[in-house]
Amino acid sequence: MKHKIELLGRRPGKIVYNSNDYEDLFRFRKAEKIDLLDSSGVVLFRYFGVTPIQMKAFS
């Protein structure tokens, strides 16, 4: 998976950027999602081109 992860400013969160136009948000492994949330509390996904309905299914 090719994505970039940054800190969410000074807040305890992370931003995950899609760095590949063809990356599918649904290919994130469950363990990877849980690790991101456990380590930061908040995760913001950018540029994955999903609808609100798809994001609800993802979460």
Side-chain angles (χ1 to χ4, degrees):
M1 215 170 257
K2 295 181 180 183
H3 51 266
K4 177 181 174 183
I5 300 175
E6 292 181 349
L7 294 177
L8 184 61
R10 295 183 177 174
R11 296 176 179 94
K14 292 187 178 143
I15 304 172
V16 179
Y17 294 96
N18 179 0
S19 59
N20 176 351
D21 290 340
Y22 302 104
E23 185 174 9
D24 184 357
L25 186 61
F26 292 92
R27 295 193 67 197
F28 274 79
R29 294 177 298 121
K30 183 177 180 178
E32 187 174 9
K33 290 186 275 188
I34 291 170
D35 288 344
L36 281 168
L37 283 170
D38 282 348
S39 67
S40 63
V42 174
V43 180
L44 177 61
F45 292 93
R46 293 288 185 139
Y47 311 119
F48 284 89
V50 295
T51 66
I53 293 169
Q54 290 171 315
M55 183 52 76
K56 184 177 178 182
F58 173 76
S59 62

